[in-house]
Amino acid sequence: MNKVNEKNLLAFIIDYFTSIGCDPAEVNNYFTARRFNDGIVLNLPAVCLLPENKPASSKSNQTHIHVTSKARNFFYDSAALDNAAVSTPWKSQMLSISESNIKALTKEKASASLLVKDTSMMTKIECRKSQEKQVQLSKISKDGRLFLDLRRGLYENDIIIFLKYRNSEKFFVLGMPRAFFKDSYVFETARKNGALKSETYTSLVSQKAIPVRAAIEAVLEEHSSDEVIESEDAISDAVYQSLVDCAKPGNTTYSPVEYVEPDSEGSAGKSRRPAANPSLGREAIEYSRFRCSVDENHHSFMKPDGTPYLEVHHLIPLSQQADFKYKLDTKANIIPLCPNCHRMLHHGRIEDIEPILKKLYEQRIELLRQSGLDISFEKLKSFYS
Ligand SMILES: [Zn+2]
Ligand SMILES: [Zn+2]
């Protein structure tokens, strides 16, 4: 039996969508921890079903889905729950929903695509005397049509799952028939008799991707000495830019610093690109007053702290360190650039790169010489072609 928890809730959902015939590539690409950060699984007892789906034995006229105890916090924060002295008015919650999910539940043939559409659901906090406040979901006269279509496909002890998008207020909603998970999945903290009431899974973890934060931490751990990174692939460059972003700026000079080959011990198999210190990058960005060195009018986007986002580039690539006695990871050689210019220097055509390189060379050659790094323009250009 597979246990469903915050590490594999998304994999569980991916399994479901692939089982109904949706394209695995699309499904894998959609249900990632990059997109969703929170999830809740609600079991649907008879009382929470649409009237026509309730078992004959049920005498309930209830049409909403009620949510109690901790699970309420998925929909309302504690303050809102505490402050509600009387029932709150219904409000509309935006949802995304898969039409293929609805088709599968109603035994129509699902399409190979998820067909994600917008819909909505009403929610409120219900306060009753001598009862715990509850959250109510769904008011059938006001819910979106697709959400009601989904509910029409759900019967006793099926489940309904809500996922929170990382960067919007919207939820993704899906329904799953009990037959899909019974005997193959259990929910991590489901009660002893196997009955699931509700489970919330916060901070969903992707099984495949390493979150950037964790990657940065891994790098920092590996190089605890001087917050440095090595290896020259795109990922390490991205990690380096992130480290630059949160580094304290250094306060260095243009004096030459002799390059000392680090102990090769422990770094066997890694690239020959020498380590870069993010605090020098930070210093360069602040020294440039957050402007691109190619053209100070180049536009970059703002970071949440209100300063423009800039990257740093080593004019003489660090991979050429072997040809230089003095350090290439030094103030004179570190150029703040807008992301577009930076990508262009790495991935552009040489005829577009050359004029920019010339400009940067002329800006920097005196400082490079002060730092013990003398180089002709032709030689520098050869590193870029
Ligand atoms: Zn670069
Ligand atoms: Zn630029």
Side-chain angles (χ1 to χ4, degrees), residues 118-150:
D118 283 342
T119 187
S120 62
M121 160 187 85
M122 304 304 290
T123 73
K124 71 185 279 200
I125 300 171
E126 172 78 7
C127 302
R128 287 181 200 159
K129 266 186 229 140
S130 75
Q131 247 185 39
E132 181 200 53
K133 292 172 200 173
Q134 56 175 233
V135 168
Q136 297 187 348
L137 309 177
S138 183
K139 178 175 173 57
I140 54 178
S141 60
K142 287 200 170 163
D143 288 336
R145 181 183 59 84
L146 289 172
F147 180 64
L148 287 173
D149 287 348
L150 180 85

PDB file of all heavy atoms in Angstrom, residues 118-150:
ATOM      1  N   ASP A 118     -11.764  27.326 -16.041  1.00  0.00           N
ATOM      2  CA  ASP A 118     -12.092  28.097 -14.835  1.00  0.00           C
ATOM      3  C   ASP A 118     -13.509  27.799 -14.379  1.00  0.00           C
ATOM      4  O   ASP A 118     -14.410  27.642 -15.196  1.00  0.00           O
ATOM      5  CB  ASP A 118     -12.019  29.601 -15.140  1.00  0.00           C
ATOM      6  CG  ASP A 118     -10.585  30.090 -15.192  1.00  0.00           C
ATOM      7  OD1 ASP A 118      -9.705  29.377 -14.664  1.00  0.00           O
ATOM      8  OD2 ASP A 118     -10.361  31.168 -15.765  1.00  0.00           O
ATOM      9  N   THR A 119     -13.696  27.759 -13.070  1.00  0.00           N
ATOM     10  CA  THR A 119     -15.044  27.675 -12.529  1.00  0.00           C
ATOM     11  C   THR A 119     -15.007  28.311 -11.135  1.00  0.00           C
ATOM     12  O   THR A 119     -14.024  28.972 -10.792  1.00  0.00           O
ATOM     13  CB  THR A 119     -15.554  26.214 -12.511  1.00  0.00           C
ATOM     14  OG1 THR A 119     -16.929  26.198 -12.124  1.00  0.00           O
ATOM     15  CG2 THR A 119     -14.779  25.340 -11.552  1.00  0.00           C
ATOM     16  N   SER A 120     -16.042  28.141 -10.344  1.00  0.00           N
ATOM     17  CA  SER A 120     -16.026  28.762  -9.021  1.00  0.00           C
ATOM     18  C   SER A 120     -16.901  27.975  -8.060  1.00  0.00           C
ATOM     19  O   SER A 120     -17.726  27.149  -8.476  1.00  0.00           O
ATOM     20  CB  SER A 120     -16.533  30.202  -9.104  1.00  0.00           C
ATOM     21  OG  SER A 120     -17.861  30.182  -9.560  1.00  0.00           O
ATOM     22  N   MET A 121     -16.685  28.257  -6.776  1.00  0.00           N
ATOM     23  CA  MET A 121     -17.422  27.559  -5.717  1.00  0.00           C
ATOM     24  C   MET A 121     -17.676  28.583  -4.618  1.00  0.00           C
ATOM     25  O   MET A 121     -16.826  29.418  -4.346  1.00  0.00           O
ATOM     26  CB  MET A 121     -16.507  26.431  -5.218  1.00  0.00           C
ATOM     27  CG  MET A 121     -16.818  25.875  -3.851  1.00  0.00           C
ATOM     28  SD  MET A 121     -15.523  24.701  -3.322  1.00  0.00           S
ATOM     29  CE  MET A 121     -14.291  25.808  -2.602  1.00  0.00           C
ATOM     30  N   MET A 122     -18.845  28.531  -4.002  1.00  0.00           N
ATOM     31  CA  MET A 122     -19.141  29.442  -2.901  1.00  0.00           C
ATOM     32  C   MET A 122     -18.605  28.859  -1.588  1.00  0.00           C
ATOM     33  O   MET A 122     -18.610  27.638  -1.406  1.00  0.00           O
ATOM     34  CB  MET A 122     -20.653  29.654  -2.775  1.00  0.00           C
ATOM     35  CG  MET A 122     -21.346  30.149  -4.042  1.00  0.00           C
ATOM     36  SD  MET A 122     -20.652  31.688  -4.710  1.00  0.00           S
ATOM     37  CE  MET A 122     -21.200  32.853  -3.454  1.00  0.00           C
ATOM     38  N   THR A 123     -18.136  29.736  -0.699  1.00  0.00           N
ATOM     39  CA  THR A 123     -17.671  29.266   0.620  1.00  0.00           C
ATOM     40  C   THR A 123     -18.166  30.230   1.700  1.00  0.00           C
ATOM     41  O   THR A 123     -18.426  31.410   1.440  1.00  0.00           O
ATOM     42  CB  THR A 123     -16.125  29.217   0.734  1.00  0.00           C
ATOM     43  OG1 THR A 123     -15.628  30.556   0.836  1.00  0.00           O
ATOM     44  CG2 THR A 123     -15.485  28.533  -0.431  1.00  0.00           C
ATOM     45  N   LYS A 124     -18.310  29.727   2.918  1.00  0.00           N
ATOM     46  CA  LYS A 124     -18.648  30.591   4.052  1.00  0.00           C
ATOM     47  C   LYS A 124     -18.219  29.939   5.351  1.00  0.00           C
ATOM     48  O   LYS A 124     -17.919  28.733   5.381  1.00  0.00           O
ATOM     49  CB  LYS A 124     -20.160  30.854   4.086  1.00  0.00           C
ATOM     50  CG  LYS A 124     -20.968  29.619   4.488  1.00  0.00           C
ATOM     51  CD  LYS A 124     -22.465  29.853   4.400  1.00  0.00           C
ATOM     52  CE  LYS A 124     -23.010  30.589   5.605  1.00  0.00           C
ATOM     53  NZ  LYS A 124     -24.489  30.379   5.733  1.00  0.00           N
ATOM     54  N   ILE A 125     -18.172  30.748   6.405  1.00  0.00           N
ATOM     55  CA  ILE A 125     -17.974  30.202   7.751  1.00  0.00           C
ATOM     56  C   ILE A 125     -19.349  30.151   8.405  1.00  0.00           C
ATOM     57  O   ILE A 125     -20.074  31.161   8.410  1.00  0.00           O
ATOM     58  CB  ILE A 125     -17.043  31.083   8.599  1.00  0.00           C
ATOM     59  CG1 ILE A 125     -15.664  31.210   7.944  1.00  0.00           C
ATOM     60  CG2 ILE A 125     -16.898  30.524  10.027  1.00  0.00           C
ATOM     61  CD1 ILE A 125     -14.741  32.229   8.600  1.00  0.00           C
ATOM     62  N   GLU A 126     -19.716  29.000   8.910  1.00  0.00           N
ATOM     63  CA  GLU A 126     -21.037  28.827   9.526  1.00  0.00           C
ATOM     64  C   GLU A 126     -20.863  28.763  11.046  1.00  0.00           C
ATOM     65  O   GLU A 126     -20.070  27.961  11.548  1.00  0.00           O
ATOM     66  CB  GLU A 126     -21.673  27.527   8.995  1.00  0.00           C
ATOM     67  CG  GLU A 126     -22.952  27.116   9.665  1.00  0.00           C
ATOM     68  CD  GLU A 126     -24.173  27.906   9.201  1.00  0.00           C
ATOM     69  OE1 GLU A 126     -24.049  28.698   8.237  1.00  0.00           O
ATOM     70  OE2 GLU A 126     -25.249  27.746   9.812  1.00  0.00           O
ATOM     71  N   CYS A 127     -21.563  29.644  11.758  1.00  0.00           N
ATOM     72  CA  CYS A 127     -21.483  29.624  13.223  1.00  0.00           C
ATOM     73  C   CYS A 127     -22.819  29.161  13.785  1.00  0.00           C
ATOM     74  O   CYS A 127     -23.865  29.730  13.468  1.00  0.00           O
ATOM     75  CB  CYS A 127     -21.206  31.029  13.761  1.00  0.00           C
ATOM     76  SG  CYS A 127     -19.702  31.750  13.122  1.00  0.00           S
ATOM     77  N   ARG A 128     -22.762  28.122  14.588  1.00  0.00           N
ATOM     78  CA  ARG A 128     -23.988  27.651  15.247  1.00  0.00           C
ATOM     79  C   ARG A 128     -23.705  27.543  16.724  1.00  0.00           C
ATOM     80  O   ARG A 128     -22.594  27.204  17.122  1.00  0.00           O
ATOM     81  CB  ARG A 128     -24.392  26.271  14.724  1.00  0.00           C
ATOM     82  CG  ARG A 128     -24.955  26.326  13.325  1.00  0.00           C
ATOM     83  CD  ARG A 128     -25.348  24.942  12.883  1.00  0.00           C
ATOM     84  NE  ARG A 128     -25.451  24.888  11.436  1.00  0.00           N
ATOM     85  CZ  ARG A 128     -25.376  23.755  10.741  1.00  0.00           C
ATOM     86  NH1 ARG A 128     -25.162  22.615  11.365  1.00  0.00           N
ATOM     87  NH2 ARG A 128     -25.490  23.777   9.439  1.00  0.00           N
ATOM     88  N   LYS A 129     -24.728  27.827  17.492  1.00  0.00           N
ATOM     89  CA  LYS A 129     -24.594  27.721  18.956  1.00  0.00           C
ATOM     90  C   LYS A 129     -24.139  26.322  19.334  1.00  0.00           C
ATOM     91  O   LYS A 129     -24.557  25.348  18.715  1.00  0.00           O
ATOM     92  CB  LYS A 129     -25.950  27.996  19.623  1.00  0.00           C
ATOM     93  CG  LYS A 129     -26.102  29.456  20.025  1.00  0.00           C
ATOM     94  CD  LYS A 129     -27.395  29.640  20.813  1.00  0.00           C
ATOM     95  CE  LYS A 129     -28.176  30.812  20.237  1.00  0.00           C
ATOM     96  NZ  LYS A 129     -29.596  30.606  20.178  1.00  0.00           N
ATOM     97  N   SER A 130     -23.271  26.260  20.322  1.00  0.00           N
ATOM     98  CA  SER A 130     -22.843  24.990  20.910  1.00  0.00           C
ATOM     99  C   SER A 130     -22.234  24.010  19.896  1.00  0.00           C
ATOM    100  O   SER A 130     -22.236  22.817  20.082  1.00  0.00           O
ATOM    101  CB  SER A 130     -24.022  24.285  21.629  1.00  0.00           C
ATOM    102  OG  SER A 130     -24.906  23.722  20.673  1.00  0.00           O
ATOM    103  N   GLN A 131     -21.759  24.564  18.796  1.00  0.00           N
ATOM    104  CA  GLN A 131     -21.074  23.689  17.830  1.00  0.00           C
ATOM    105  C   GLN A 131     -19.797  24.372  17.393  1.00  0.00           C
ATOM    106  O   GLN A 131     -19.733  25.594  17.318  1.00  0.00           O
ATOM    107  CB  GLN A 131     -21.958  23.499  16.607  1.00  0.00           C
ATOM    108  CG  GLN A 131     -22.474  22.086  16.444  1.00  0.00           C
ATOM    109  CD  GLN A 131     -23.240  21.925  15.148  1.00  0.00           C
ATOM    110  OE1 GLN A 131     -22.867  22.477  14.121  1.00  0.00           O
ATOM    111  NE2 GLN A 131     -24.313  21.160  15.204  1.00  0.00           N
ATOM    112  N   GLU A 132     -18.814  23.589  17.046  1.00  0.00           N
ATOM    113  CA  GLU A 132     -17.597  24.148  16.471  1.00  0.00           C
ATOM    114  C   GLU A 132     -17.979  24.854  15.171  1.00  0.00           C
ATOM    115  O   GLU A 132     -18.814  24.361  14.409  1.00  0.00           O
ATOM    116  CB  GLU A 132     -16.624  22.996  16.177  1.00  0.00           C
ATOM    117  CG  GLU A 132     -15.311  23.431  15.591  1.00  0.00           C
ATOM    118  CD  GLU A 132     -14.593  22.285  14.869  1.00  0.00           C
ATOM    119  OE1 GLU A 132     -15.196  21.631  13.986  1.00  0.00           O
ATOM    120  OE2 GLU A 132     -13.427  22.059  15.189  1.00  0.00           O
ATOM    121  N   LYS A 133     -17.356  26.037  14.948  1.00  0.00           N
ATOM    122  CA  LYS A 133     -17.632  26.718  13.669  1.00  0.00           C
ATOM    123  C   LYS A 133     -17.178  25.813  12.538  1.00  0.00           C
ATOM    124  O   LYS A 133     -16.171  25.138  12.651  1.00  0.00           O
ATOM    125  CB  LYS A 133     -16.830  28.016  13.592  1.00  0.00           C
ATOM    126  CG  LYS A 133     -17.280  29.075  14.565  1.00  0.00           C
ATOM    127  CD  LYS A 133     -16.309  30.254  14.560  1.00  0.00           C
ATOM    128  CE  LYS A 133     -16.478  31.052  15.840  1.00  0.00           C
ATOM    129  NZ  LYS A 133     -15.461  32.104  15.986  1.00  0.00           N
ATOM    130  N   GLN A 134     -17.928  25.801  11.449  1.00  0.00           N
ATOM    131  CA  GLN A 134     -17.487  24.981  10.315  1.00  0.00           C
ATOM    132  C   GLN A 134     -17.385  25.812   9.049  1.00  0.00           C
ATOM    133  O   GLN A 134     -17.947  26.892   8.934  1.00  0.00           O
ATOM    134  CB  GLN A 134     -18.416  23.783  10.113  1.00  0.00           C
ATOM    135  CG  GLN A 134     -19.872  24.144   9.925  1.00  0.00           C
ATOM    136  CD  GLN A 134     -20.727  22.915   9.599  1.00  0.00           C
ATOM    137  OE1 GLN A 134     -21.443  22.919   8.619  1.00  0.00           O
ATOM    138  NE2 GLN A 134     -20.637  21.869  10.430  1.00  0.00           N
ATOM    139  N   VAL A 135     -16.595  25.317   8.125  1.00  0.00           N
ATOM    140  CA  VAL A 135     -16.497  25.952   6.815  1.00  0.00           C
ATOM    141  C   VAL A 135     -17.420  25.172   5.893  1.00  0.00           C
ATOM    142  O   VAL A 135     -17.438  23.945   5.919  1.00  0.00           O
ATOM    143  CB  VAL A 135     -15.040  25.930   6.310  1.00  0.00           C
ATOM    144  CG1 VAL A 135     -14.971  26.321   4.834  1.00  0.00           C
ATOM    145  CG2 VAL A 135     -14.169  26.861   7.153  1.00  0.00           C
ATOM    146  N   GLN A 136     -18.232  25.907   5.129  1.00  0.00           N
ATOM    147  CA  GLN A 136     -19.114  25.234   4.182  1.00  0.00           C
ATOM    148  C   GLN A 136     -18.677  25.558   2.761  1.00  0.00           C
ATOM    149  O   GLN A 136     -18.380  26.711   2.440  1.00  0.00           O
ATOM    150  CB  GLN A 136     -20.566  25.656   4.419  1.00  0.00           C
ATOM    151  CG  GLN A 136     -21.042  25.224   5.798  1.00  0.00           C
ATOM    152  CD  GLN A 136     -22.525  25.469   6.043  1.00  0.00           C
ATOM    153  OE1 GLN A 136     -23.197  26.160   5.278  1.00  0.00           O
ATOM    154  NE2 GLN A 136     -23.033  24.884   7.130  1.00  0.00           N
ATOM    155  N   LEU A 137     -18.630  24.544   1.941  1.00  0.00           N
ATOM    156  CA  LEU A 137     -18.244  24.701   0.540  1.00  0.00           C
ATOM    157  C   LEU A 137     -19.442  24.358  -0.328  1.00  0.00           C
ATOM    158  O   LEU A 137     -20.134  23.387  -0.036  1.00  0.00           O
ATOM    159  CB  LEU A 137     -17.116  23.726   0.176  1.00  0.00           C
ATOM    160  CG  LEU A 137     -15.890  23.693   1.092  1.00  0.00           C
ATOM    161  CD1 LEU A 137     -14.917  22.617   0.598  1.00  0.00           C
ATOM    162  CD2 LEU A 137     -15.203  25.057   1.140  1.00  0.00           C
ATOM    163  N   SER A 138     -19.663  25.167  -1.347  1.00  0.00           N
ATOM    164  CA  SER A 138     -20.667  24.889  -2.370  1.00  0.00           C
ATOM    165  C   SER A 138     -22.071  25.339  -1.971  1.00  0.00           C
ATOM    166  O   SER A 138     -22.616  24.939  -0.950  1.00  0.00           O
ATOM    167  CB  SER A 138     -20.704  23.376  -2.699  1.00  0.00           C
ATOM    168  OG  SER A 138     -21.622  23.134  -3.736  1.00  0.00           O
ATOM    169  N   LYS A 139     -22.617  26.215  -2.794  1.00  0.00           N
ATOM    170  CA  LYS A 139     -24.018  26.606  -2.695  1.00  0.00           C
ATOM    171  C   LYS A 139     -24.548  26.408  -4.097  1.00  0.00           C
ATOM    172  O   LYS A 139     -24.181  27.137  -5.027  1.00  0.00           O
ATOM    173  CB  LYS A 139     -24.119  28.081  -2.265  1.00  0.00           C
ATOM    174  CG  LYS A 139     -25.526  28.608  -2.173  1.00  0.00           C
ATOM    175  CD  LYS A 139     -25.485  30.041  -1.610  1.00  0.00           C
ATOM    176  CE  LYS A 139     -26.854  30.700  -1.636  1.00  0.00           C
ATOM    177  NZ  LYS A 139     -27.900  29.982  -0.919  1.00  0.00           N
ATOM    178  N   ILE A 140     -25.399  25.371  -4.245  1.00  0.00           N
ATOM    179  CA  ILE A 140     -25.651  24.903  -5.613  1.00  0.00           C
ATOM    180  C   ILE A 140     -26.333  25.939  -6.511  1.00  0.00           C
ATOM    181  O   ILE A 140     -26.190  25.906  -7.708  1.00  0.00           O
ATOM    182  CB  ILE A 140     -26.400  23.541  -5.640  1.00  0.00           C
ATOM    183  CG1 ILE A 140     -27.680  23.604  -4.827  1.00  0.00           C
ATOM    184  CG2 ILE A 140     -25.519  22.425  -5.106  1.00  0.00           C
ATOM    185  CD1 ILE A 140     -28.453  22.293  -4.877  1.00  0.00           C
ATOM    186  N   SER A 141     -27.022  26.915  -5.902  1.00  0.00           N
ATOM    187  CA  SER A 141     -27.654  27.914  -6.764  1.00  0.00           C
ATOM    188  C   SER A 141     -26.642  28.932  -7.295  1.00  0.00           C
ATOM    189  O   SER A 141     -26.957  29.699  -8.195  1.00  0.00           O
ATOM    190  CB  SER A 141     -28.743  28.647  -5.979  1.00  0.00           C
ATOM    191  OG  SER A 141     -28.158  29.282  -4.852  1.00  0.00           O
ATOM    192  N   LYS A 142     -25.426  28.947  -6.711  1.00  0.00           N
ATOM    193  CA  LYS A 142     -24.468  29.983  -7.125  1.00  0.00           C
ATOM    194  C   LYS A 142     -23.115  29.448  -7.585  1.00  0.00           C
ATOM    195  O   LYS A 142     -22.280  30.215  -8.060  1.00  0.00           O
ATOM    196  CB  LYS A 142     -24.241  30.973  -5.967  1.00  0.00           C
ATOM    197  CG  LYS A 142     -25.418  31.900  -5.730  1.00  0.00           C
ATOM    198  CD  LYS A 142     -24.970  33.118  -4.957  1.00  0.00           C
ATOM    199  CE  LYS A 142     -26.059  34.178  -4.921  1.00  0.00           C
ATOM    200  NZ  LYS A 142     -25.813  35.158  -3.867  1.00  0.00           N
ATOM    201  N   ASP A 143     -22.866  28.148  -7.421  1.00  0.00           N
ATOM    202  CA  ASP A 143     -21.573  27.590  -7.838  1.00  0.00           C
ATOM    203  C   ASP A 143     -21.418  27.629  -9.354  1.00  0.00           C
ATOM    204  O   ASP A 143     -22.419  27.676 -10.082  1.00  0.00           O
ATOM    205  CB  ASP A 143     -21.471  26.112  -7.424  1.00  0.00           C
ATOM    206  CG  ASP A 143     -21.302  25.932  -5.926  1.00  0.00           C
ATOM    207  OD1 ASP A 143     -20.813  26.864  -5.267  1.00  0.00           O
ATOM    208  OD2 ASP A 143     -21.660  24.850  -5.420  1.00  0.00           O
ATOM    209  N   GLY A 144     -20.176  27.553  -9.806  1.00  0.00           N
ATOM    210  CA  GLY A 144     -19.905  27.453 -11.245  1.00  0.00           C
ATOM    211  C   GLY A 144     -20.427  26.131 -11.789  1.00  0.00           C
ATOM    212  O   GLY A 144     -20.464  25.124 -11.080  1.00  0.00           O
ATOM    213  N   ARG A 145     -20.808  26.152 -13.077  1.00  0.00           N
ATOM    214  CA  ARG A 145     -21.412  24.970 -13.678  1.00  0.00           C
ATOM    215  C   ARG A 145     -20.471  23.771 -13.647  1.00  0.00           C
ATOM    216  O   ARG A 145     -20.865  22.648 -13.328  1.00  0.00           O
ATOM    217  CB  ARG A 145     -21.799  25.276 -15.132  1.00  0.00           C
ATOM    218  CG  ARG A 145     -22.460  24.105 -15.858  1.00  0.00           C
ATOM    219  CD  ARG A 145     -22.768  24.415 -17.323  1.00  0.00           C
ATOM    220  NE  ARG A 145     -21.563  24.769 -18.088  1.00  0.00           N
ATOM    221  CZ  ARG A 145     -20.739  23.869 -18.642  1.00  0.00           C
ATOM    222  NH1 ARG A 145     -20.978  22.597 -18.499  1.00  0.00           N
ATOM    223  NH2 ARG A 145     -19.680  24.266 -19.322  1.00  0.00           N
ATOM    224  N   LEU A 146     -19.186  23.999 -13.961  1.00  0.00           N
ATOM    225  CA  LEU A 146     -18.261  22.865 -14.025  1.00  0.00           C
ATOM    226  C   LEU A 146     -18.030  22.252 -12.650  1.00  0.00           C
ATOM    227  O   LEU A 146     -17.856  21.041 -12.517  1.00  0.00           O
ATOM    228  CB  LEU A 146     -16.932  23.293 -14.657  1.00  0.00           C
ATOM    229  CG  LEU A 146     -17.004  23.584 -16.154  1.00  0.00           C
ATOM    230  CD1 LEU A 146     -15.683  24.181 -16.658  1.00  0.00           C
ATOM    231  CD2 LEU A 146     -17.338  22.319 -16.944  1.00  0.00           C
ATOM    232  N   PHE A 147     -18.057  23.100 -11.612  1.00  0.00           N
ATOM    233  CA  PHE A 147     -17.879  22.539 -10.263  1.00  0.00           C
ATOM    234  C   PHE A 147     -19.071  21.640  -9.921  1.00  0.00           C
ATOM    235  O   PHE A 147     -18.911  20.560  -9.348  1.00  0.00           O
ATOM    236  CB  PHE A 147     -17.711  23.666  -9.230  1.00  0.00           C
ATOM    237  CG  PHE A 147     -17.519  23.143  -7.831  1.00  0.00           C
ATOM    238  CD1 PHE A 147     -16.397  22.385  -7.503  1.00  0.00           C
ATOM    239  CD2 PHE A 147     -18.447  23.387  -6.828  1.00  0.00           C
ATOM    240  CE1 PHE A 147     -16.214  21.877  -6.220  1.00  0.00           C
ATOM    241  CE2 PHE A 147     -18.279  22.890  -5.539  1.00  0.00           C
ATOM    242  CZ  PHE A 147     -17.158  22.132  -5.237  1.00  0.00           C
ATOM    243  N   LEU A 148     -20.268  22.066 -10.313  1.00  0.00           N
ATOM    244  CA  LEU A 148     -21.453  21.223 -10.068  1.00  0.00           C
ATOM    245  C   LEU A 148     -21.400  19.937 -10.896  1.00  0.00           C
ATOM    246  O   LEU A 148     -21.781  18.867 -10.421  1.00  0.00           O
ATOM    247  CB  LEU A 148     -22.734  22.007 -10.364  1.00  0.00           C
ATOM    248  CG  LEU A 148     -23.045  23.072  -9.308  1.00  0.00           C
ATOM    249  CD1 LEU A 148     -24.232  23.927  -9.749  1.00  0.00           C
ATOM    250  CD2 LEU A 148     -23.322  22.430  -7.945  1.00  0.00           C
ATOM    251  N   ASP A 149     -20.868  20.055 -12.132  1.00  0.00           N
ATOM    252  CA  ASP A 149     -20.705  18.842 -12.948  1.00  0.00           C
ATOM    253  C   ASP A 149     -19.782  17.854 -12.244  1.00  0.00           C
ATOM    254  O   ASP A 149     -20.019  16.650 -12.248  1.00  0.00           O
ATOM    255  CB  ASP A 149     -20.110  19.189 -14.324  1.00  0.00           C
ATOM    256  CG  ASP A 149     -21.132  19.873 -15.226  1.00  0.00           C
ATOM    257  OD1 ASP A 149     -22.331  19.866 -14.873  1.00  0.00           O
ATOM    258  OD2 ASP A 149     -20.727  20.422 -16.279  1.00  0.00           O
ATOM    259  N   LEU A 150     -18.744  18.386 -11.621  1.00  0.00           N
ATOM    260  CA  LEU A 150     -17.822  17.517 -10.883  1.00  0.00           C
ATOM    261  C   LEU A 150     -18.556  16.838  -9.729  1.00  0.00           C
ATOM    262  O   LEU A 150     -18.455  15.625  -9.529  1.00  0.00           O
ATOM    263  CB  LEU A 150     -16.636  18.336 -10.341  1.00  0.00           C
ATOM    264  CG  LEU A 150     -15.592  17.550  -9.542  1.00  0.00           C
ATOM    265  CD1 LEU A 150     -14.568  16.913 -10.479  1.00  0.00           C
ATOM    266  CD2 LEU A 150     -14.859  18.437  -8.533  1.00  0.00           C
TER     267      LEU A 150
END
